[in-house]
Amino acid sequence: MNLKEAMDILDSTIPHPQSQMVDMTHLPIAQAWQKVKTFLLDYESVKDKHDTMMKRYAEQIEVIRHRIDTDNLGDDEKRLLA
């Protein structure tokens, strides 16, 4: 089970705090789930951005490595790597 599937299960099980199904005993649980869900959605967004950025860095490193291996660096690039 991945995070999205787990969140979907909890969403289908725990009603929204404003739902008439939620009594005062279960209100803290419903509120807590909404807070956790918001945090997890924000986390997933940040994680996706981080993963995308790291993938781009890895691609750039591979290009630089290839250029070093083929001795295809310009003078400015050589100076920066020295």
Side-chain angles (χ1 to χ4, degrees), residues 55-78:
K55 183 179 175 186
R56 286 188 62 209
Y57 286 153
E59 290 169 355
Q60 291 172 344
I61 289 169
E62 285 305 313
V63 168
I64 292 169
R65 283 183 180 155
H66 177 71
R67 291 178 71 188
I68 290 170
D69 291 344
T70 59
D71 199 25
N72 194 15
L73 293 174
D75 291 337
D76 289 338
E77 294 164 327
K78 287 179 183 176

Side-chain angles (χ1 to χ4, degrees), residues 1-8 40 43-44:
M1 173 184 314
N2 64 32
L3 182 59
K4 173 84 171 97
E5 292 168 341
M7 288 175 64
D8 289 343
L40 289 174
Y43 171 78
E44 281 295 305

Side-chain angles (χ1 to χ4, degrees), residues 10-77:
L10 289 172
D11 255 348
S12 67
T13 307
I14 303 172
H16 193 278
Q18 295 175 347
S19 171
Q20 291 181 350
M21 293 174 42
V22 179
D23 58 19
M24 292 307 289
T25 304
H26 294 95
L27 181 61
I29 296 168
Q31 291 171 330
W33 168 237
Q34 290 303 309
K35 184 70 172 177
V36 169
K37 185 170 78 169
T38 300
F39 174 80
L40 289 174
L41 291 171
D42 289 345
Y43 171 78
E44 281 295 305
S45 175
V46 169
K47 183 179 174 296
D48 288 343
K49 289 175 186 172
H50 174 266
D51 291 349
T52 300
M53 187 173 61
M54 294 308 289
K55 183 179 175 186
R56 286 188 62 209
Y57 286 153
E59 290 169 355
Q60 291 172 344
I61 289 169
E62 285 305 313
V63 168
I64 292 169
R65 283 183 180 155
H66 177 71
R67 291 178 71 188
I68 290 170
D69 291 344
T70 59
D71 199 25
N72 194 15
L73 293 174
D75 291 337
D76 289 338
E77 294 164 327

